[in-house]
Amino acid sequence: MHNFIKIPAEVAMQNETRPTQRVSPLAMDSGQFRALGVQLIDRIASFLDTLPQLPVTRGESPSAVRQALFAERSLPLQGTDPAALLDNAADLLLHHSLFNGHPRFWGYITSSAAPIGALGELLASAVNPNVGAWQLSPMASEIEAQTIRWIAEMLGYPMDCGGLFVSGGNMANFVCFLAARQAKAGPDVRTQGVAGMRLRVYCSKETHTWIQKAADIAGLGTDAIRWIATDDAMQMDVVALRNQIVKDREAGDRPIMVVGTAGSVSTGIVDPLPELAALCREFDLWFHVDGAYGGMAAALPDAPSAFAGLREADSVAVDPHKWLYAPLDAGCVLVRDVGRLRDAFSYHPPYYHFGVEAINYFDIGPENSRSFRALKVWLALQLVGREGYVRMISDDMRLARALFERMVEYPELEPLTQSLSITTFRFVPADLRAGSEAVDTYLNQLNLELLTRLQNSGEVFLSNAVVKGKYALRVCIVNFRTSLADIEALLSIVLRVGKELDHSLRPANLRAANYG
Ligand SMILES: *Cc1c(COP(=O)(O)O)cnc(C)c1O
């Protein structure tokens, strides 16, 4: 084995037929790798060029997609030509995907991915550092640490915080949740579990579903979540929060953490973070901010004032695959005191011996072997700098506001909410007045159908929200390719499709002859 490894490349190539030489079917010589790579990059470049002319999605059925793939065929026994294989993979993906990089994709919270991120991923996977341990990834570990510091810097968070990359916002929030549990429930919680502890966590009703998964995974159970009411502005009601904490303490429960959201998933609302921070100090609770979507808006010089409390949080989750436009996936954990992460995650088994005075990421998070997620983020941050990001994030917000403001010109469009880069609205036929039960029910049905029709059309891609009982269309712009022309196109598309649908869907009792 040792002899084999020590054979220099030139000798190994001459001796390919010697039985001690290994000819591996996965190996690829540099000439072939280069040719395939050039071809693939060329194809991707053309795809990016034509992206605005492509449908956002073809809205195909699962069976059509499976058919294109020949999903039922069995695994080939023998290998195949790599050029044909890559070409086929590109055909499948380019003809049967939803393109979140399309300028008219505004669904859920998924961003357009920066092309430099794709190149970064290629480089990361070619070098393939295992960023679980410093010794296995010296430069990659340091690049990850630097990227974490830069993200903290953009957020105005202490730059000596601890942090790491994980797969996304859910995972980042889970990691912070476990850090909070360990910090507030005490060191025995890791050996003895939470049985009988009656730990309680607090968040607004607008909080993303990660909180349920986290409470479940961390052993608290979802009944440990106290869903605090929101006020008229849909922010967490701080008085209701205080009352619940006091009540729970009196009942013998143990409040451990408050979760504030900086950019709620449906409407982009930012909780009153400074007030939440003060309350957490008063009651000695862990203060976590879920900034998966909106956190990066804290970097704006004119960030909404509610963001001011973010820098006081014990932990923050942000998603570089949202407002830093990184290709999936990249979530980011920041914890004020890195020791808290170590307390929550570290074990020292005998088979790990990394005697290096540097950060070993397996020690401060749940993952063991880890990919080099930081590289794509690190590259994009430097490609455009802080100013570039401030501009792109503000442009996204400005476009979402423009959409909201333009709606006053159209009697059929009812603007509902606008915060950060999320705007919600609905289509209301000009001759219908909301208020009666029959009309309200019809409007919900009409807008649901409208959303389905728009999503399948490939012209634009929106998602939905329910705003105070109203079924709403929701536009979330985390897309550096969107321009004002796309927003204007959206208005006319919604009007056109909304009118068509209303014509075919409206029940007889709501038609003009019977109405009013
Ligand atoms: C997107 C989002 C999450 C979940 O993040 P993923 O990256 O999808 O795992 C959690 N919280 C908020 C507020 C989000 O916007």
Side-chain angles (χ1 to χ4, degrees), residues 170-289:
N170 263 33
M171 281 301 301
N173 282 306
F174 294 172
V175 168
C176 296
F177 193 100
L178 286 164
R181 186 190 73 154
Q182 207 282 337
K184 295 300 176 187
D188 293 343
V189 74
R190 290 184 73 198
T191 48
Q192 293 168 17
V194 298
M197 280 193 170
R198 302 174 63 173
L199 306 178
R200 298 290 176 260
V201 299
Y202 301 77
C203 64
S204 102
K205 291 188 163 146
E206 296 291 318
T207 307
H208 186 279
T209 55
W210 71 264
I211 186 87
Q212 284 135 304
K213 292 187 181 181
D216 180 6
I217 290 172
L220 279 68
T222 53
D223 287 351
I225 304 168
R226 296 291 192 238
W227 298 97
I228 305 301
T230 50
D231 59 18
D232 280 349
M234 290 188 285
Q235 291 182 309
M236 190 176 344
D237 179 336
V238 182
V239 175
L241 171 63
R242 168 185 292 276
N243 291 342
Q244 187 67 50
I245 293 170
V246 169
K247 189 171 145 208
D248 286 345
R249 279 201 171 171
E250 282 168 0
D253 292 341
R254 271 178 75 182
I256 57 167
M257 82 185 297
V258 173
V259 175
T261 297
S264 66
V265 63
S266 325
T267 53
I269 300 300
V270 182
D271 280 327
L273 305 181
E275 287 88 338
L276 300 186
L279 208 81
C280 285
R281 272 197 304 274
E282 182 184 338
F283 288 95
D284 190 26
L285 305 178
W286 183 278
F287 179 36
H288 172 64
V289 172

